[in-house]
Amino acid sequence: DVEIGGCFTVDDDNVYGCTEEGACNYNADATVDDGSCDYGTECWDGSIECNADDCPDQPVNTVDISFDSDTAIAGFQFTVDGVTVTGAGGGAAEAAGFTVSNSTSTVLGFSLTGSTIPAGSGTLVTLDIEGDPSAACISNLIVSDSSGSALDTDADCTGFVIDVVDDNVYGCTEE
């Protein structure tokens, strides 16, 4: 009820609220739409949820970065093109106790204790990414040895080879 100037009272029997059934805050008792309708949040997959916490988790794709090295690795850094990096870890880097850090496009790994990744081959590190794993490609690769010197690498999109040791057989090889 509304009293006007003390002279008379006007009854207001309206119930104000959201009158749109598809809205998150729909009020079935409302008789007048007050403009408060809330249509929720659009999730990453295009679905709509009234509470953003109810959105489905975005799937995480992974890409393994492989290595084949005939010398120990003391550190590495590379850029990742074609995808967004959301995390990095595991592999030989984790086994060697490396600290691995990442931004959305760069991965850096090294040891604070001087440990190295032994010569060998396998997964250097696993990247958590957003995007198509087949589009991931490393570039600007820098790998260093225990003296801090850069090692020559032969890289493709998801791995690299280091062949420092001269393991050629010289001299006469005919019997």
Side-chain angles (χ1 to χ4, degrees):
D1 293 341
V2 177
E3 187 174 304
I4 300 177
C7 297
F8 63 95
T9 301
V10 176
D11 289 330
D12 185 5
D13 292 333
N14 291 320
V15 176
Y16 295 90
C18 177
T19 60
E20 298 217 15
E21 289 186 30
C24 295
N25 61 334
Y26 168 68
N27 181 350
D29 296 328
T31 57
V32 176
D33 193 321
D34 64 1
S36 68
C37 293
D38 175 11
Y39 297 97
T41 301
E42 183 173 359
C43 303
W44 68 271
D45 63 352
S47 64
I48 304 291
E49 293 292 338
C50 290
N51 182 341
D53 293 338
D54 293 333
C55 286
D57 291 335
Q58 189 165 1
V60 174
N61 292 315
T62 61
V63 172
D64 288 337
I65 303 301
S66 63
F67 75 103
D68 184 356
S69 178
D70 63 1
T71 191
I73 297 171
F76 60 87
Q77 178 176 333
F78 53 85
T79 301
V80 183
D81 302 310
V83 296
T84 300
V85 179
T86 60
E94 183 176 294
F98 274 34
T99 298
V100 178
S101 301
N102 68 276
S103 70
T104 58
S105 62
T106 302
V107 178
L108 171 70
F110 60 93
S111 171
L112 295 171
T113 64
S115 69
T116 59
I117 297 169
S121 62
T123 298
L124 177 70
V125 66
T126 298
L127 308 180
D128 294 333
I129 62 159
E130 290 178 359
D132 179 2
S134 67
C137 198
I138 63 173
S139 62
N140 302 317
L141 175 65
I142 301 169
V143 181
S144 63
D145 65 13
S146 59
S147 69
S149 298
L151 297 169
D152 289 330
T153 61
D154 181 19
D156 63 19
C157 277
T158 58
F160 60 91
V161 174
I162 299 172
D163 187 12
V164 173
V165 176
D166 184 2
D167 51 7
N168 292 316
V169 176
Y170 296 98
C172 182
T173 59
E174 293 183 23
E175 293 181 32

